[in-house]
Amino acid sequence: MIKLRVFPLFFNIEWKHLGQRLLDAKYNEEEARGFIVTDISDKQIMATYYEKIIYLEIVHHPVRGDFEITREVFFKTDIILFKKICFIVNPSRRFSGLLIFIANKTEAQVSIRDCRFNIPAFCDLGFRLFDEFNVTKVVYKQFNVTDSLKCSAAFSCDNNVFNEIGSVRLNIPAMPSRITFAGIINKTIMKGDISETGLISLSSANIDCFVDFINKNQDSLIIC
C-alpha cells in the first residue's frame, strides 16, 4: 500500500521562483540533506527530500573491548507540490524537518495546515466520475446514540455500504471518519482507504491520476 497525506499549502513566493530554489537546494554531503527534483512544470513539482542521519554506537566486544562504530541512515520523503495543496508520499515523523528546510532554502513563508477531507463529497464525485465505483466499508467515530449513550461504528458489505446504512436506526453523523473504496479512474484500478484527516492509502502504485483528481477537485474535497 502507498500512503499519501494531503495538506493545504501556501507560499508567499512566485511559483517559478519556488521551483528554481528547490532545484538549487539539491542534496549535498556538506549539509547532509536536500532535494532531488524529478519533475517541474507550471502546475506541479515532484521531488524527493533526503536527509542523512549519523549514529555513533558503542559496541561491547568480549575480546576487543568497547569501541565506536558509525552508522549512516538515509531518510527520504517524496513530495508532490501544487499551487494550493501538497501530497506527502509515505509520510514519516521527520516531516517537520522537511518543512523547515523548505522554508530556509526558499526564504519564503511556508504555511501548511491540517485539513479535513470531505468524504461525502469524494463519494459523490466517485460515483459520478469513476467507473465501477463502490464503497465497501465506512467507519464513524464516537457519536451520540442517546443523550447519555455514545458509540463508534463500522459498517461493511460487498455492495455500496451507504445503500444499507439507511435501514440502520441510529443517528449516524453526516461525516464518516474513514471509508474503504474501489473504482477505476483513467483505466487505472484504485482501491484504498481515505480518512477525514487527509490520510489516504492506495493499493495501486500508479498514484498520478488519483493525485491529479484530488488536485482538480480540491475546492470540494479539502476543508480548512
Side-chain angles (χ1 to χ4, degrees), residues 111-175:
S111 174
I112 190 168
R113 292 175 291 174
D114 287 335
C115 71
R116 291 185 71 200
F117 195 92
N118 192 333
I119 292 178
F122 171 79
C123 293
D124 180 62
L125 289 168
F127 283 115
R128 289 193 289 114
L129 302 178
F130 283 49
D131 293 323
E132 300 180 23
F133 186 78
N134 196 20
V135 178
T136 57
K137 183 176 182 179
V138 59
V139 178
Y140 295 92
K141 290 193 299 188
Q142 196 174 73
F143 61 94
N144 290 328
V145 178
T146 67
D147 291 341
S148 59
L149 181 64
K150 296 181 179 180
C151 79
S152 298
F155 303 93
S156 61
C157 66
D158 294 334
N159 299 315
N160 178 21
V161 69
F162 289 113
N163 290 339
E164 306 298 329
I165 290 179
S167 62
V168 178
R169 295 182 179 179
L170 290 174
N171 186 23
I172 295 174
M175 179 72 76

Side-chain angles (χ1 to χ4, degrees), residues 34-222:
F35 287 99
I36 301 296
V37 177
T38 55
D39 182 67
I40 187 167
S41 68
D42 291 338
K43 76 167 189 173
Q44 74 173 23
I45 299 171
M46 300 179 66
T48 301
Y49 170 75
Y50 291 92
E51 182 178 354
K52 181 170 71 173
I53 305 297
I54 300 176
Y55 296 96
L56 293 177
E57 298 181 7
I58 304 296
V59 176
H60 304 282
H61 194 278
V63 178
R64 298 167 55 190
D66 295 349
F67 61 92
E68 289 186 349
I69 62 171
T70 301
R71 185 163 61 93
E72 295 182 354
V73 177
F74 280 90
F75 292 92
K76 78 164 197 167
T77 304
D78 294 322
I79 62 172
I80 306 171
L81 299 176
F82 294 92
K83 294 184 179 180
K84 292 183 179 180
I85 62 173
C86 76
F87 292 84
I88 309 300
V89 183
N90 294 324
S92 71
R93 286 178 291 180
R94 306 195 70 83
F95 174 58
S96 59
L98 162 61
L99 294 180
I100 294 171
F101 184 75
I102 290 177
N104 290 338
K105 287 299 182 179
T106 60
E107 298 179 352
Q109 178 184 349
V110 181
S111 174
I112 190 168
R113 292 175 291 174
D114 287 335
C115 71
R116 291 185 71 200
F117 195 92
N118 192 333
I119 292 178
F122 171 79
C123 293
D124 180 62
L125 289 168
F127 283 115
R128 289 193 289 114
L129 302 178
F130 283 49
D131 293 323
E132 300 180 23
F133 186 78
N134 196 20
V135 178
T136 57
K137 183 176 182 179
V138 59
V139 178
Y140 295 92
K141 290 193 299 188
Q142 196 174 73
F143 61 94
N144 290 328
V145 178
T146 67
D147 291 341
S148 59
L149 181 64
K150 296 181 179 180
C151 79
S152 298
F155 303 93
S156 61
C157 66
D158 294 334
N159 299 315
N160 178 21
V161 69
F162 289 113
N163 290 339
E164 306 298 329
I165 290 179
S167 62
V168 178
R169 295 182 179 179
L170 290 174
N171 186 23
I172 295 174
M175 179 72 76
S177 62
R178 181 167 56 86
I179 62 167
T180 298
F181 74 95
I184 301 173
I185 180 172
N186 293 340
K187 300 181 180 180
T188 300
I189 297 174
M190 286 288 172
K191 297 180 180 180
D193 298 330
I194 296 180
S195 76
E196 64 174 339
T197 61
L199 183 62
I200 303 167
S201 299
L202 297 174
S203 61
S204 173
N206 181 12
I207 64 173
D208 294 347
C209 56
F210 189 85
V211 166
D212 190 54
F213 169 80
I214 299 297
N215 179 55
K216 287 179 178 177
N217 295 281
Q218 61 179 276
D219 291 339
S220 300
L221 299 176
I222 308 300

